[in-house]
Amino acid sequence: MKLKFFKSALLACSIPVTAQIALGQNTIDQVRAHVETARTAAGNDHAFIFGRLCEGPIKLVKAAPVTGEVPGALASTDPKRDWYAEPARVFDDLFFLGQTAFSVWGLRTSAGIILVDSIFDYSVEAEVIEGLRKLGIDPAEIKYVIISHAHGDHSGGAGILQQRGAKIVMSAADWDLYAGTKDKVKATRDIVATDGMEIKLGDSKVHVYLTPGHTHGTISTVLPVHEKGQPHVAALWGGTLFNFKGTPDDPLDQRLKDYAASAVHFQQVTQAAGADILLSNHTAYDGTTIKLPAMAQRKPGDPNPYIIGKDAVHRYLKVAEECAVAARLAEAVSPSN
Ligand SMILES: [Zn+2]
């Protein structure tokens, strides 16, 4: 009887006392304002990140739903393995080596290749190693692998690539996080990334920035690339979703505060670098699911769909910032939601 009462009391506690009441009108107005700023920043081209990151606040304040193009996963080119995607050249010196939903980007310099991310332990050989061979490139050219963050969809193949001679770059916090992952082959602690660190290889300089939020040690990257010989700059936001729960040792409020501050930091460095290309390590966020098939149909003289311009790069990161602020305001006063 006592237990039954306890259970029903617990159940009652877990039912949101309608967030509207818990928040207070002033906070609701603030959340709504940040959602609308994010919506404006998203425009028609960044609807996917807006829809995912602002999902909670939108529901909470009953804001208008997301409109615009929301892409699915990249179509598989192999029905036997529904994750398999073909490798593709995206710029003169940048290659897509990922699978249907997760990306690996390879920058080919005059002295070898720098990868961003290593996808899973089960897919890295088929996509990255064999992918490079399909493109006519020796996988022994891989010199560095920058791991955006230590979740299995990005760090799972790191051990296999290290065994092949590549140096693995992770932040200190995510080397610690990586220690707890269970991949077939584990990388040993290698290069520890610091904010603004330059990774120079041949004629290329890649810069990494510490952008904690998605994990405590998420790295975002700025890469120089070339389109028909012309220089461009790509920005890669290293961790996107708010897929974390608050704990007493790791409060949600601080995570969201860090995330928003990181988005501001990366806006500043990418603007200073003149970034006009936005890349993600998930194929839906940067429109790879649409852009890669479009690249294959490109005629001579057609623009490269990945070159979106400085303003659009800035707007993408603004969505990340504003949705984090909105989510933090909502959570700060109503942590049960
Ligand atoms: Zn992740």
Side-chain angles (χ1 to χ4, degrees):
M1 188 65 182
K2 258 186 183 170
L3 188 66
K4 202 173 171 189
F5 167 75
F6 200 64
K7 270 187 181 168
S8 60
L10 270 180
L11 197 66
C13 286
S14 66
I15 295 169
V17 191
T18 83
Q20 298 277 359
I21 295 167
L23 280 176
Q25 192 56 45
N26 188 34
T27 309
I28 291 168
D29 291 346
Q30 287 181 51
V31 172
R32 187 173 285 121
H34 286 287
V35 166
E36 294 312 318
T37 304
R39 189 195 305 280
T40 303
N44 291 322
D45 43 348
H46 299 319
F48 190 77
I49 184 173
F50 171 63
R52 295 304 306 275
L53 289 191
C54 268
E55 188 178 13
I58 285 171
K59 275 191 197 150
L60 210 60
V61 301
K62 298 185 169 63
V66 180
T67 55
E69 196 156 21
V70 178
L74 194 64
S76 175
T77 50
D78 184 346
K80 295 190 292 295
R81 294 182 296 187
D82 62 8
W83 48 263
Y84 184 78
E86 292 289 338
R89 180 192 288 265
V90 171
F91 287 97
D92 300 352
D93 41 10
L94 191 79
F95 302 89
F96 172 83
L97 301 164
Q99 54 194 82
T100 50
F102 309 97
S103 304
V104 172
W105 296 100
L107 179 73
R108 194 180 195 195
T109 77
S110 60
I113 293 170
I114 300 172
L115 296 180
V116 181
D117 280 349
S118 63
I119 46 176
F120 294 95
D121 53 2
Y122 68 79
S123 53
V124 65
E125 289 274 357
E127 298 286 18
V128 177
I129 303 301
E130 291 307 318
L132 284 171
R133 287 196 182 116
K134 275 190 182 182
L135 294 165
I137 300 169
D138 182 355
E141 281 193 31
I142 302 170
K143 303 298 180 203
Y144 292 99
V145 185
I146 298 164
I147 302 293
S148 63
H149 64 279
H151 286 163
D153 45 347
H154 308 289
S155 63
I160 292 167
L161 294 172
Q162 190 182 54
Q163 268 188 347
R164 289 178 157 275
K167 291 190 183 307
I168 310 297
V169 183
M170 271 191 251
S171 67
D174 274 30
W175 273 117
D176 292 345
L177 181 63
Y178 176 77
T181 63
K182 292 187 176 67
D183 302 315
K184 277 189 288 195
V185 182
K186 292 281 290 190
T188 55
R189 203 175 177 101
D190 204 341
I191 297 174
V192 177
T194 53
D195 191 52
M197 178 187 266
E198 176 185 289
I199 297 169
K200 188 176 186 311
L201 186 62
D203 55 0
S204 247
K205 289 175 187 165
V206 169
H207 288 87
V208 295
Y209 297 91
L210 300 186
T211 52
H214 179 76
T215 62
H216 289 297
T218 296
I219 291 175
S220 295
T221 310
V222 174
L223 306 113
V225 302
H226 293 84
E227 167 73 359
K228 297 186 168 65
Q230 295 301 308
H232 292 268
V233 179
L236 198 160
W237 183 234
T240 312
L241 282 180
F242 309 145
N243 59 346
F244 37 77
K245 290 191 178 82
T247 66
D249 295 337
D250 187 9
L252 190 58
D253 181 69
Q254 188 61 45
R255 286 292 282 274
L256 290 165
K257 188 179 177 187
D258 289 347
Y259 190 110
S262 292
V264 172
H265 178 40
F266 202 52
Q267 282 168 43
Q268 290 164 346
V269 296
T270 52
Q271 278 189 306
D276 56 353
I277 295 158
L278 188 283
L279 300 174
S280 173
N281 44 17
H282 288 261
T283 56
Y285 287 99
D286 58 5
T288 283
T289 50
I290 295 161
K291 289 173 183 172
L292 265 193
M295 292 280 293
Q297 306 295 322
R298 217 156 56 122
K299 295 181 192 71
D302 283 353
N304 186 318
Y306 280 91
I307 302 172
I308 60 174
K310 294 174 190 175
D311 175 62
V313 171
H314 175 69
R315 288 190 292 102
Y316 183 93
L317 297 169
K318 191 73 183 162
V319 174
E321 174 199 344
E322 291 293 332
C323 290
V325 173
R328 184 179 175 223
L329 277 166
E331 293 290 347
V333 286
S334 185
S336 64
N337 289 286

